[in-house]
Amino acid sequence: DAGITQSPRHKVTETGTPVTLRCHQTENHRYMYWYRQDPGHGLRLIHYSYGVKDTDKGEVSDGYSVSRSKTEDFLLTLESATSSQTSVYFCAIRAGRNSPLHFGNGTRLTVT
Amino acid sequence: QKEVEQDPGPLSVPEGAIVSLNCTYSNSAFQYFMWYRQYSRKGPELLMYTYSSGNKEDGRFTAQVDKSSKYISLFIRDSQPSDSATYLCAMSPYQGAQKLVFGQGTRLTINP
C-alpha cells in the first residue's frame, strides 16, 4: 500500500465531538491529500498539502482542518463532528505533480 | 449536474466476457483521464491513464477517450473473477493538477 498508514481504521463518535484522523507515510513524498468517499459522490478532495506547513482547500473543505508539521504526517481534524461527516476517509500521496496518486486503505468514520 | 457521470451498476458478467465501463463528462477542459480499481475495504489503485484522445492498451485492459463526445471507456478482455472490484474514472485538465474529479465508480462482479 505504498507505505501509507491511516489511523484509526474505524471510529464511531458522537455529534459535536472533535475527531482527528492521521495519515502516516514512509515514502518521503511531498504531496499528501485527504479525500472522502460517499455513495453517489465518488471521491471528493477535502484538503491537500504540498509541503510541510503548506496546505490548501479542496472542494469539500467546510468543517475540516488539516495540519502537516512533518513530511510523513498529515492530520485531518473535524472540529465538531456532524452526521453528514459520516464517510470513508482516504489519504493519498504522490512524489511529484506528475506522479500517480497512491491511496491508503481508508478510515471508516461514523458520527452518531 | 455532476462534472463526471458514471453508472454505479452493479454490473455482473460471466468469466471470460468482455467488459465495458464508461464515464461521461461535461468539462471540455479535461485532458488527462485515469481509471482506478478499488477492491472492497481497500484504497483505489491506478490502473491506466491516457492523455487527450485515443486508445491505450495494457494487457487485458484498454482505455479509450472520445473527446468529441466527452466519453471515456475502459474495456476488460477475458475477464477474471479477480477483476471483481469497483472501477472509478478520474480526470483533470492536465497531468499535474492537484484536484482530480472522480466518477462515483461502477461495481463489477465477474462470475466463475
Side-chain angles (χ1 to χ4, degrees), chain A residues 31 33 37 40 42-43 45 48 57 90 94 97-98 100-101 103-105 108, chain B residues 2 36 38 41-44 46 88 94-100 102-104:
Chain A
Y31 299 95
Y33 306 80
Q37 186 173 36
L43 283 158
L45 181 64
Y48 65 96
K57 295 179 180 180
F90 286 98
R94 63 179 176 181
R97 290 286 297 267
N98 293 333
L101 274 175
F103 286 86
N105 284 327
R108 189 171 295 270
Chain B
K2 294 178 183 176
Y36 283 81
Q38 184 177 20
R41 306 288 181 176
K42 296 287 189 179
L46 182 66
L88 302 102
Y94 54 94
Q95 185 176 4
Q98 295 284 22
K99 300 174 184 178
L100 307 184
F102 283 84
Q104 64 176 310

Side-chain angles (χ1 to χ4, degrees), chain B residues 15-79:
Chain B
E15 183 176 354
I18 296 175
V19 176
S20 172
L21 303 167
N22 311 295
C23 290
T24 60
Y25 62 95
S26 58
N27 188 344
S28 58
F30 288 147
Q31 301 267 8
Y32 188 63
F33 304 94
M34 294 145 279
W35 286 96
Y36 283 81
R37 179 175 61 196
Q38 184 177 20
Y39 291 115
S40 181
R41 306 288 181 176
K42 296 287 189 179
E45 55 179 337
L46 182 66
L47 258 184
M48 298 182 68
Y49 64 89
T50 56
Y51 195 72
S52 196
S53 288
N55 292 359
K56 184 174 182 179
E57 189 173 317
D58 183 1
R60 297 184 295 109
F61 297 88
T62 299
Q64 194 172 81
V65 175
D66 182 349
K67 289 188 68 184
S68 62
S69 302
K70 296 191 179 70
Y71 187 88
I72 68 171
S73 300
L74 178 71
F75 297 95
I76 307 174
R77 293 183 300 279
D78 187 24
S79 56

Side-chain angles (χ1 to χ4, degrees), chain B residues 77-89:
Chain B
R77 293 183 300 279
D78 187 24
S79 56
Q80 305 294 310
S82 59
D83 296 328
S84 298
T86 296
Y87 290 80
L88 302 102
C89 63

